[in-house]
Amino acid sequence: MSGVQNLPDELQLATAAHVKYIQSLDTRKDEYDYWLTEHLRLNGLYWGLTALHLLRHPGALPRDKTIDFVLSCQHENGGFGAAPGHDAHMLYTVSAVQILVLVDALDELEKRGKGNGKAQVGKFLADLQNRETGAFAGDEWGEEDTRFLYTALNGLSLLGLLHLVDVDKAVGHVAACANSDGGYGVSPGAESHSGQIFTCLAALSIAGRKDLIDVNKLAGWLSERQVACGGLNGRPEKTEDVCYNWWVLSSLEILGRTHWIDREKLIKFTLTCQDTEQGGLSDRPGHMVDVWHTVFGLTGLSLLKYSGVEEIDPVYCLPKYTTDRVFGRAK
């Protein structure tokens, strides 16, 4: 701990710069990159808003405009697109639910959302389950992925509608994606990857089936993702990336094994990925920042109990005080 406390000023968390960076993201409409990333607009709002909560500036974006934008992305079938006019998809729909939960506005979905409010969204998510295998597709075109299974359980549980899907079948599908190294892949037989491991562990956590996890074998595989510079990679022989602060550490937190990696080295690596003047974090030191790496760098610092960063829920990737409120957990 002492090594982290004694970091030079340029390696302290640049909170004010990061807040300003996130606030600026929707003001760059004259930039080419703004329109190239329209397909990530709703996800980006979730990433940015979560980052602001972790930085303890939850009111840094206007609540009313946030709600209006989210609802403008909804389709008649209950699903949400990335932006107005974009097709509905599982991932955007769950980002919409997470944003509304963050700003405590599920009542606005009930009042102003399409169709039957929360029930309409729940039906969209539930209809994407393959009732024979338990897997979930991302949209009407049928691509299946453990990401979609996790996000479905995430969104439905936040809405209080988990009963709309066959949870046991979903658990069976996750179990079928397990590998001999303790990890999980995108589908049965696919290579273990840190991102997919998180989605499977979090899905099993929501389903109350963590008993299926080979804890020590998987924690060993995850701890080996830390490389010499202190950063984490997603699978063997790959380069470190700040986004794996989340995928690896959240999984280790679910397993109760975050102490199996070098905390101080990872904190130092993460802080070197900051732009301390303009704000934001990048994948590796010296690279361009973006909101994706900003939020997942901050979630990693949260899981490492870094001072000044709000506590994150390792299953939902929302501030713990938010999930405590939603699920009525005592503080």
Side-chain angles (χ1 to χ4, degrees):
M1 185 67 179
S2 59
V4 173
Q5 291 177 327
N6 295 329
L7 286 172
D9 289 345
E10 62 269 21
L11 285 185
Q12 301 300 321
L13 185 63
T15 298
H18 298 326
V19 171
K20 288 181 180 179
Y21 164 70
I22 294 165
Q23 289 176 315
S24 77
L25 291 175
D26 200 46
T27 67
R28 304 179 179 188
K29 296 179 182 179
D30 59 342
E31 297 181 12
Y32 187 49
D33 285 353
Y34 180 90
W35 299 106
L36 283 180
T37 57
E38 188 178 45
H39 65 291
L40 295 173
R41 195 73 72 234
L42 199 55
N43 296 145
L45 179 55
Y46 156 67
W47 299 329
L49 191 58
T50 301
L52 289 170
H53 277 257
L54 294 179
L55 291 166
R56 299 178 176 170
H57 286 73
L61 295 181
R63 182 177 184 272
D64 289 347
K65 289 184 179 179
T66 297
I67 296 168
D68 289 344
F69 176 73
V70 171
L71 294 178
S72 75
C73 298
Q74 192 178 24
H75 289 251
E76 294 295 333
N77 64 4
F80 290 77
H86 285 240
D87 291 345
H89 192 281
M90 169 79 75
L91 298 181
Y92 307 131
T93 301
V94 175
S95 285
V97 171
Q98 290 171 308
I99 293 165
L100 293 175
V101 165
L102 274 168
V103 300
D104 196 10
L106 286 180
D107 60 323
E108 292 293 323
L109 179 61
E110 288 287 80
K111 290 187 292 187
R112 298 164 51 195
K114 305 292 186 183
N116 296 318
K118 290 193 295 184
Q120 195 82 1
V121 179
K123 184 178 187 305
F124 173 80
L125 296 173
D127 285 349
L128 291 170
Q129 185 176 32
N130 182 326
R131 297 292 172 152
E132 292 187 9
T133 67
F136 282 81
D139 57 24
E140 62 182 309
W141 307 113
E143 178 193 5
E144 295 182 351
D145 187 322
T146 45
R147 289 177 302 158
F148 307 146
L149 185 153
Y150 159 66
T151 50
L153 299 192
N154 179 317
L156 287 166
S157 59
L158 290 172
L159 293 170
L161 298 173
L162 197 57
H163 63 275
L164 295 180
V165 296
D166 190 330
V167 175
D168 289 340
K169 283 275 191 179
V171 167
H173 181 72
V174 171
C177 295
N179 292 319
S180 59
D181 56 15
Y184 298 84
V186 68
S187 58
E191 176 187 13
S192 294
H193 185 280
S194 298
Q196 305 305 141
I197 287 169
F198 161 73
T199 64
C200 291
L201 294 192
L204 292 173
S205 297
I206 294 170
R209 292 303 312 273
K210 289 168 62 176
D211 58 293
L212 296 176
I213 303 166
D214 189 333
V215 173
N216 286 333
K217 181 181 284 188
L218 178 51
W221 188 94
L222 289 165
S223 67
E224 290 172 356
R225 304 281 60 77
Q226 189 164 37
V227 299
C229 69
L232 302 166
N233 63 21
R235 51 199 168 110
E237 306 302 322
K238 295 296 182 179
T239 308
E240 68 281 357
D241 188 319
V242 155
C243 73
Y244 291 111
N245 282 22
W246 172 251
W247 312 115
V248 174
L249 277 178
S250 59
S251 299
L252 286 171
E253 181 72 16
I254 290 170
L255 299 175
R257 300 290 189 277
T258 53
H259 59 287
W260 284 19
I261 55 102
D262 188 319
R263 176 182 181 273
E264 291 196 6
K265 287 185 70 174
L266 182 53
I267 288 175
K268 289 179 181 178
F269 169 76
T270 303
L271 294 175
T272 62
C273 294
Q274 299 181 103
D275 182 332
T276 56
E277 295 182 1
Q278 300 301 317
L281 282 83
S282 59
D283 58 348
R284 285 179 283 283
H287 288 195
M288 290 291 292
V289 304
D290 59 69
V291 68
W292 160 274
H293 288 95
T294 299
V295 68
F296 290 126
L298 291 171
T299 58
L301 291 177
S302 174
L303 291 166
L304 292 167
K305 307 295 190 290
Y306 186 84
S307 178
V309 181
E310 194 62 48
E311 184 178 0
I312 192 79
D313 187 310
V315 172
Y316 286 90
C317 200
L318 291 168
K320 189 173 182 298
Y321 59 68
T322 299
T323 54
D324 284 348
R325 167 172 51 79
V326 171
F327 297 118
R329 296 190 292 235
K331 293 181 180 181

